[in-house]
C-alpha cells in the first residue's frame, strides 16, 4: 500500500496518505500518521528536485504559511470538540467541494483561494490525516506539471512542520523513526513508477483522476469517522 501510495503521489502530486493510511491504521495504528510523514518527506523532496523548474515559489508561499495556523486550529479543535462530528463535517465539506467542482465554472488559483486552501488543509490534515484535497481542488484547473510540482513543495514543507511537532510532542521516538525509515526504499521505487506514469496521466486524464481521488479521500475520511463512532 505504501508503494501504491508513493506511485500515485509521484504521478499525480498527492495520494500517499489516502491510499496507505486506511490499511496501515488497521494493521499498525501506531504508525499513523508518523510513519507516513517520514516516508512522504523524502518522496516529496525527490519530486521537488525532479520538478524544480515548474515550481511557483512565490505563489506557494501563501498556502505554506497558511498551513501553520490551520494546523494549530486543527489541534485545538481536536482537544475541544467532538472528534467524530468534526471529522464528518470536514469530510462532507470535501465531498461537497468535489460535486461543486464538477458542475461549477472554471476558476483561477488566486492567492486568496490558496490561502484558504492552505488553512483548511492544515485543519483537515490535523483532524483526518488527509490534507491534500483542499489545495488540489483549488489548483485543479492549472497545468498538470505545475500542480504536481507545487503540491510536492507544499507537502515537503508540511512534513517538516509535522515532524517538528511530533518531535516536540514526544510522539516521534527512535524506534518509530527507524521503522519508518525502513520504508524509504519503497518510496524510491514508487517515485520511479510514478515518473513513468506522468505522460499517461497528463494526456487529458489528470483532472478526472484528481477529482476522483479527492472524492475517495472525502469518502474514506467520512466512513472512517462514522466507523470510529460505532
Amino acid at each position: 500500500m505504501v508503494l501504491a501510495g508513493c506511485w500515485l503521489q509521484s504521478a499525480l502530486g498527492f495520494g500517499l496518505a489516502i491510499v496507505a493510511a486506511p490499511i496501515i491504521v488497521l494493521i499498525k495504528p501506531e504508525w499513523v500518521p508518523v510513519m507516513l510523514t517520514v516516508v512522504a518527506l523524502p518522496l516529496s523532496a525527490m519530486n521537488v528536485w525532479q520538478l524544480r523548474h515548474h515550481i511557483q515559489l512565490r505563489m506557494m508561499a501563501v498556502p505554506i504559511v497558511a498551513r501553520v495556523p490551520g494546523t494549530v486550529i486543527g489541534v485545538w479543535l481536536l482537544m475541544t470538540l467532538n472528534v467524530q462530528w468534526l471529522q464528518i463535517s470536514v469530510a462532507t465539506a470535501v465531498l461537497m467541494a468535489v460535486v461543486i467542482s464538477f458542475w461549477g465554472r472554471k476558476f483561477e488559483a488566486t492567492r486568496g483561494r490558496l490561502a484558504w486552501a492552505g488553512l483548511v488543509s492544515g485543519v483537515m490534515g490535523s483532524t483526518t490525516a488527509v490534507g491534500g484535497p483542499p489545495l488540489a481542488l483549488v489548483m485543479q484547473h492549472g497545468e498538470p506539471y505545475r500542480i504536481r510540482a507545487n503540491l510536492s513543495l507544499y507537502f515537503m514543507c508540511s512534513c517538516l512542520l509535522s515532524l517538528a511537532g511530533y518531535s516536540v510532542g514526544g510522539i516521534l521516538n527512535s524506534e518509530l523513526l527507524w521503522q519508518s525509515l525502513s520504508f524509504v526504499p519503497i518510496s524510491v521505487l514508487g517515485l520511479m513508477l510514478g515518473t513513468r506514469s506522468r505522460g499517461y496521466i497528463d494526456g487529458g486524464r489528470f483532472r478526472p483522476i484528481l477529482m476522483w481521488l479527492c472524492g475517495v479521500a472525502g469518502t474514506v475520511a467520512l466512513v472512517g469517522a462514522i466507523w470510529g463512532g460505532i
Side-chain angles (χ1 to χ4, degrees):
M1 297 310 299
V2 172
L3 175 62
C6 290
W7 162 74
L8 189 59
Q9 183 144 329
S10 298
L12 195 65
F14 76 110
L16 171 59
I18 295 170
V19 173
I23 304 300
I24 293 176
V25 76
L26 296 176
I27 303 172
K28 295 282 284 188
E30 63 271 22
W31 282 0
V32 179
V34 176
M35 187 273 277
L36 292 175
T37 305
V38 172
V39 174
L41 178 56
L43 177 68
S44 300
M46 289 185 288
N47 276 301
V48 165
W49 177 254
Q50 271 192 350
L51 304 166
R52 61 191 181 279
H53 299 300
H54 304 301
I55 291 174
Q56 298 167 296
L57 187 58
R58 293 181 63 182
M59 184 184 78
M60 291 309 298
V62 176
I64 289 172
V65 172
R67 167 88 186 205
V68 178
T71 301
V72 174
I73 293 171
V75 173
W76 177 77
L77 289 173
L78 283 174
M79 295 172 61
T80 58
L81 300 180
N82 182 289
V83 176
Q84 182 188 11
W85 285 109
L86 176 62
Q87 293 176 336
I88 289 174
S89 299
V90 173
T92 302
V94 171
L95 292 174
M96 289 177 62
V98 171
V99 173
I100 292 171
S101 296
F102 267 118
W103 296 101
R105 295 181 297 178
K106 184 177 179 179
F107 56 87
E108 294 184 7
T110 63
R111 291 195 174 190
R113 289 170 179 153
L114 286 169
W116 279 108
L119 183 70
V120 175
S121 176
V123 175
M124 189 173 175
S126 301
T127 56
T128 66
V130 180
L135 203 61
L137 287 171
V138 169
M139 296 166 56
Q140 63 179 287
H141 296 290
E143 296 293 335
Y145 56 86
R146 291 197 184 278
I147 297 175
R148 192 181 290 117
N150 290 332
L151 284 176
S152 297
L153 176 65
Y154 176 79
F155 285 125
M156 184 181 73
C157 296
S158 298
C159 288
L160 288 171
L161 289 171
S162 296
L163 288 174
Y166 299 151
S167 179
V168 172
I171 300 174
L172 180 60
N173 55 52
S174 58
E175 181 181 0
L176 182 56
L177 177 61
W178 284 111
Q179 289 175 341
S180 303
L181 288 173
S182 69
F183 285 89
V184 171
I186 297 177
S187 71
V188 177
L189 180 57
L191 174 70
M192 296 170 60
L193 295 174
T195 301
R196 291 177 175 270
S197 304
R198 289 171 185 169
Y200 173 80
I201 290 177
D202 290 353
R205 302 177 180 89
F206 186 88
R207 185 170 179 266
I209 294 176
L210 183 147
M211 298 295 290
W212 177 83
L213 189 60
C214 288
V216 170
T219 303
V220 167
L222 181 61
V223 172
I226 296 174
W227 182 266
I230 299 177

